Amino acid sequence: MNQSPSASTRATHPALVILALAMGAFAIGTTEFAAMSLVPFFARDLGLTEPQAGHAISAYALGVVAGAPVIAVLAAKIERRRLLIGLMALFAIGNGISAMAKTYDLLLLCRFVSGLPHGAYFGIAALVAASMVPANKRAQSVAMVMSGLTVATIIGVPAANWLGQAIGWRSGFAVVSGLAILTMALVALYAPHQPADESASPLRELGALRRPQVLLTLLTGAIGFGGLFCVYTYVASTMIEVTHVSEKLVPAVLAIFGVGMTVGNLFWAWVADRAQTKAAICALLFSAVSLALFSLMAGNIWTLCIVVLLIGFSGGLGTILQTRLMDVAGDAQALAAAAHHSAFNTANAIGPWLGGMAISAGLGLTSTGWIGACLALGGLAVFLVTISLHKRETLQPCPA
């Protein structure tokens, strides 16, 4: 069968495909992490306490948690390129309205809507990227897409924070809406046509949730990643109130976090393609130690920069778990891939919530580091259970 020129062109330029997908990741990463860094500013503008303002972060995360599995199940038969464009359109609308929200309640609703397409976009983008490379390069291919998110923490988030200080926090959400529209154009131009599996169905996708390995891997991320978000959400406040530095230094420290996350994402993906289980264990341990150090090193700007870099480096855990889900999900790939980001953003809801509770209870901003370390160790405990169960399953004799 002859291919159309456009389809052939797309098939022979995987780098352009990854660029298009990574641009969407850049937009998502900018809004997800910039919103955390803008907490002190929209709290001040809307007359909220910082723990109250932190609920806007949780609202976005809950949107991801709700949207990822629902969209993955209902869209099982939609062609992937068309689905990616539609998801970015919803994302653009949610962020555009966030920029115009005049009340706290409307902002919460808009952040929830903005989060709905997040997980499904990343899940489908990861499947498209992985389908273009050999099996032993999957984690690195997924990492290249995810690098859009990590680069956002170097460029997009500090830029949004700077804009928030210069002309108002609303500008950050407006810029993200524009990036989403740009992503729609790039995906339309370069993403390959990948028709949905004819045998795909909502029931088949839901079958992923009956697999213990899928559920336990998701739980690992939901708990283990909470620590990173617990600290990151309040890092700007910590710098201002504990480290006692100017607000103008916040974008620079956020960029340092982004550098750590970008390097860590690529490093842990490289390790995962060689030893996936060891990579996950080491990443969780590294995260726990780094988060605990935050509580001890937040008082000095230089030591704070070092520990923020280390915490960012541990963020490569996401790519490891995304690849593991591809291995254990069987034929329910779309739901498992999207649900990973539900788990990731369950962590994004749990971390700031627990951190806000500790701060409100008078434990101080640096208590977020200890809470974060406990969450990372909790994720490690779940992962060790996952591995133990997997070994028992593989050692069971086959029935005669």
Side-chain angles (χ1 to χ4, degrees), residues 101-378:
K102 299 296 184 183
T103 66
Y104 179 52
D105 289 341
L106 180 57
L107 179 63
L108 286 178
L109 176 61
C110 291
R111 298 317 297 150
F112 178 80
V113 171
S114 298
L116 290 173
H118 174 132
Y121 177 86
F122 269 121
I124 300 303
L127 293 176
V128 171
S131 71
M132 298 164 57
V133 297
N136 65 343
K137 298 288 186 181
R138 289 178 309 159
Q140 292 172 76
S141 180
V142 172
M144 291 302 294
V145 173
M146 292 293 292
S147 68
L149 185 151
T150 61
V151 170
T153 61
I154 302 174
I155 301 173
V157 175
N161 186 271
W162 177 81
L163 283 172
Q165 295 183 44
I167 60 177
W169 58 269
R170 299 176 189 279
S171 60
F173 294 124
V175 168
V176 168
S177 185
L179 290 172
I181 294 170
L182 175 59
T183 300
M184 292 168 64
L186 291 174
V187 170
L189 282 171
Y190 299 123
H193 291 283
Q194 291 190 348
D197 185 348
E198 289 295 326
S199 63
S201 70
L203 285 177
R204 193 182 81 174
E205 291 297 328
L206 286 170
L209 300 181
R210 294 195 298 268
R211 299 172 184 266
Q213 288 298 316
V214 170
L215 294 175
L216 288 169
T217 301
L218 293 173
L219 186 59
T220 299
I223 297 173
F225 244 117
L228 183 148
F229 289 114
C230 182
V231 167
Y232 192 90
T233 298
Y234 299 103
V235 72
S237 301
T238 302
M239 289 179 63
I240 295 166
E241 299 178 30
V242 177
T243 320
H244 301 298
V245 296
S246 169
E247 291 179 355
K248 294 179 181 179
L249 284 178
V250 172
V253 174
L254 296 179
I256 290 171
F257 173 88
V259 170
M261 199 168 191
T262 300
V263 175
N265 181 50
L266 298 174
F267 171 79
W268 292 114
W270 178 82
V271 176
D273 274 332
R274 288 154 178 79
Q276 186 185 94
T277 299
K278 290 180 181 178
I281 293 171
C282 291
L284 284 162
L285 283 172
F286 187 92
S287 179
V289 172
S290 301
L291 291 162
L293 286 174
F294 178 82
S295 296
L296 303 174
M297 301 170 70
N300 178 277
I301 185 60
W302 299 109
T303 56
L304 177 75
C305 288
I306 293 170
V307 77
V308 165
L309 180 72
L310 296 176
I311 292 171
F313 188 82
S314 69
L317 173 67
T319 298
I320 302 170
L321 297 180
Q322 181 84 78
T323 309
R324 176 171 173 75
L325 284 167
M326 293 179 185
D327 293 334
V328 300
D331 57 5
Q333 292 284 316
L335 178 58
H340 168 63
H341 296 278
S342 288
F344 189 87
N345 280 273
T346 298
N348 194 358
I350 291 172
W353 176 62
L354 291 176
M357 286 180 63
I359 295 165
S360 297
L363 298 179
L365 286 160
T366 57
S367 65
T368 57
W370 296 118
I371 294 169
C374 290
L375 286 169
L377 292 174

